[in-house]
Amino acid sequence: MTDEIRQIIKDHARLSVDVEEISDDDDLYLAGMTSHASVNVMIALEDHFDVEFPDAMLTRSTFESIGALAAAIAQMQMGASV
Amino acid sequence: MADFRPGAPDQAAFLGELLEGRLLVETGVPGVYGRGEDFERVRVGVAGMISHAGAAEDPEQLRFPPVIPRRDLETVGYLQSFPHLAGSIFGFTGNEAQAAEQYGRASQHEDWSEFQSMTELVLTPAACYPVYPAIAARGRLPVGGVTIDAGSAYVFRHEPSGDPARMQMFHQREIVRIGEPEAVAAWRDVWRDRAVTLLREIDLDARFDVATDPFFGRSGRMLAASQREQKLKFEVVVQIAGPEPTAVASFNYHQDHFASAYGIELADGSGAHTACLGFGLERITLALLRTHGLDVETWPATVRAKLSTPAF
């Protein structure tokens, strides 16, 4: 799953570094992702994984790293709610 | 027409008083009003009070008309955030036959939109927007960045409302700071605090709050959450009419949103940050009328004195 997330980050997050250079735990905002870019990431993730982020999860912390996104998507795919 | 938001009962009543007292003049479209002399004298007085408060910074004075290039609206991504508030300008470039048909429809107050096409212009949504490309065109910033006073500029928001404090076209008294991140963020905070003091000096019960812009839709809720978390926006609020206090000024730290869009660089070539403040002159005027009464001649002398500085 993280490979798919990485591809979406590469396509939409507009990082100032290559996505290959960041770990699953690195801060995406520090890597150059703006809040507007994070919205585009959100929409692309929802399309790709066929999930819908509930409002409570549309926070900066959900999108702060590839690992955080993977955990969020896994949670949504299991149908768990926050 | 965009969805009309009726005002709360006391907002509607306040509007009625303003119209009857000829402080505001009905046009038939909610949120668009003419202004009487007393209203304008107060509004200009508020503008002058703010100029005086900012004089020590010795800002550069720039003025722009109330339209911006459509391309600039597109460049800064306004339509991702506020598609529902934008006012675009269309025009006619057809032939005689089309002009005749258009005129026929218009005479009957029917829909003539099919004869209209996009122009290069949109109405200015916020008074700071034209400042960024103008500064970017100069090349790298001087050391210390710049402070730009954009005067009292008309801006447009497509939101017809029965609340007199929610006009579709109103003045923002606008100052913009462009420079190093820490300096810009600190400047924003200083003005936020200064604004509370200024408004209290004219007997308005002002305080500030973290706030968000009215971003559109679901992604808008995400943008708002991010903006609030980072405290990028503060509003100074005053009770006018309605169930809640009204934001009469905002203090906005944009980080690199506008500077990146236009490639504004610091003297050393690194990316600049920007912040802006906007005082809602009509809202402050309405707050004064609500607080001190509709007869300006009877206002406290101290308040009237504070509103007597020339605005330029």
Side-chain angles (χ1 to χ4, degrees):
Chain A
M1 182 202 296
T2 52
D3 285 344
E4 295 162 87
I5 296 175
R6 278 178 181 273
Q7 185 61 46
I8 286 170
I9 295 289
K10 184 172 177 159
D11 291 341
H12 296 282
R14 304 202 292 256
L15 301 182
S16 46
V17 297
D18 285 335
V19 70
E20 293 80 30
E21 290 177 36
I22 59 172
S23 76
D24 286 0
D25 296 320
D26 281 339
D27 188 312
L28 292 172
Y29 302 111
L30 290 178
M33 183 176 74
T34 64
S35 54
H36 286 270
S38 72
V39 168
N40 295 331
V41 166
M42 183 267 285
I43 292 167
L45 289 170
E46 291 192 333
D47 279 347
H48 182 82
F49 289 103
D50 196 24
V51 294
E52 183 169 306
F53 286 83
D55 275 9
M57 285 173 72
L58 290 179
T59 61
R60 285 180 74 75
S61 56
T62 301
F63 291 79
E64 72 186 356
S65 68
I66 290 166
L69 283 169
I73 291 163
Q75 192 176 344
M76 287 184 283
Q77 286 177 329
M78 285 189 303
S81 57
V82 174
Chain B
M1 182 172 83
D3 285 345
F4 169 69
R5 282 160 75 164
D10 59 335
Q11 292 169 346
F14 185 39
L15 176 59
E17 290 169 24
L18 294 161
L19 292 171
E20 192 176 321
R22 296 188 172 174
L23 288 139
L24 294 179
V25 180
E26 189 89 79
T27 64
V29 173
V32 177
Y33 306 106
R35 286 96 156 127
E37 183 173 341
D38 279 0
F39 189 98
E40 279 295 282
R41 283 191 186 283
V42 172
R43 185 188 66 75
V44 168
V46 175
M49 183 183 76
I50 295 161
S51 298
H52 180 72
E57 287 184 321
D58 194 25
E60 177 183 345
Q61 303 288 336
L62 284 179
R63 301 292 184 268
F64 296 92
V67 292
I68 60 169
R70 171 165 55 87
R71 188 175 178 78
D72 283 321
L73 195 81
E74 294 161 357
T75 296
V76 300
Y78 189 82
L79 294 171
Q80 179 183 42
S81 299
F82 314 108
H84 57 312
L85 296 178
S88 51
I89 299 176
F90 280 50
F92 176 81
T93 54
N95 59 34
E96 283 196 52
Q98 289 163 326
E101 230 190 301
Q102 177 180 246
Y103 174 68
R105 302 263 187 92
S107 305
Q108 303 300 312
H109 299 301
E110 287 166 3
D111 184 354
W112 42 280
S113 58
E114 75 177 78
F115 301 102
Q116 295 282 300
S117 53
M118 285 184 116
T119 65
E120 292 181 289
L121 297 170
V122 297
L123 293 170
T124 305
C128 63
Y129 277 53
V131 173
Y132 310 113
I135 296 304
R138 298 179 182 179
R140 283 191 185 175
L141 293 170
V143 170
V146 294
T147 306
I148 304 296
D149 183 333
S152 302
Y154 265 124
V155 296
F156 177 78
R157 306 286 169 82
H158 191 210
E159 45 179 359
S161 166
D163 175 5
R166 187 172 293 281
M167 296 187 186
Q168 295 202 58
M169 198 140 202
F170 56 95
H171 289 87
Q172 286 182 333
R173 178 77 184 81
E174 187 86 7
I175 308 177
V176 182
R177 182 83 176 90
I178 305 178
E180 294 187 7
E182 298 77 20
V184 167
W187 176 90
R188 188 279 299 265
D189 290 353
V190 164
W191 262 106
R192 174 201 62 201
D193 298 341
R194 178 180 293 148
V196 171
T197 303
L198 266 184
L199 295 177
R200 288 184 179 170
E201 286 174 359
I202 47 177
D203 297 351
L204 295 182
D205 185 18
R207 61 179 171 82
F208 73 77
D209 257 336
V210 179
T212 61
D213 283 314
F215 297 107
F216 181 77
R218 251 186 96 232
S219 45
R221 289 199 285 282
M222 187 169 159
L223 290 171
S226 180
Q227 189 183 44
R228 182 183 293 277
E229 254 182 88
Q230 299 176 89
K231 295 188 170 34
L232 298 179
K233 183 180 189 76
F234 285 96
E235 286 174 344
V236 169
V237 299
V238 174
Q239 178 63 37
I240 304 178
E244 283 159 9
T246 303
V248 301
S250 73
F251 303 85
N252 310 283
Y253 177 36
H254 317 122
Q255 295 171 321
D256 70 342
H257 178 76
F258 290 103
S260 292
Y262 290 107
I264 303 175
E265 292 176 340
L266 300 175
D268 68 5
S270 60
H273 277 199
T274 70
C276 74
L277 63 86
F279 287 84
L281 296 183
E282 281 81 357
R283 283 186 172 181
I284 296 169
T285 302
L286 290 171
L288 286 164
L289 289 163
R290 189 77 165 166
T291 301
H292 298 296
L294 301 190
D295 186 354
V296 180
E297 303 292 308
T298 64
W299 289 9
T302 50
V303 172
R304 297 182 58 178
K306 289 230 162 7
L307 298 174
S308 299
T309 318
F312 165 38

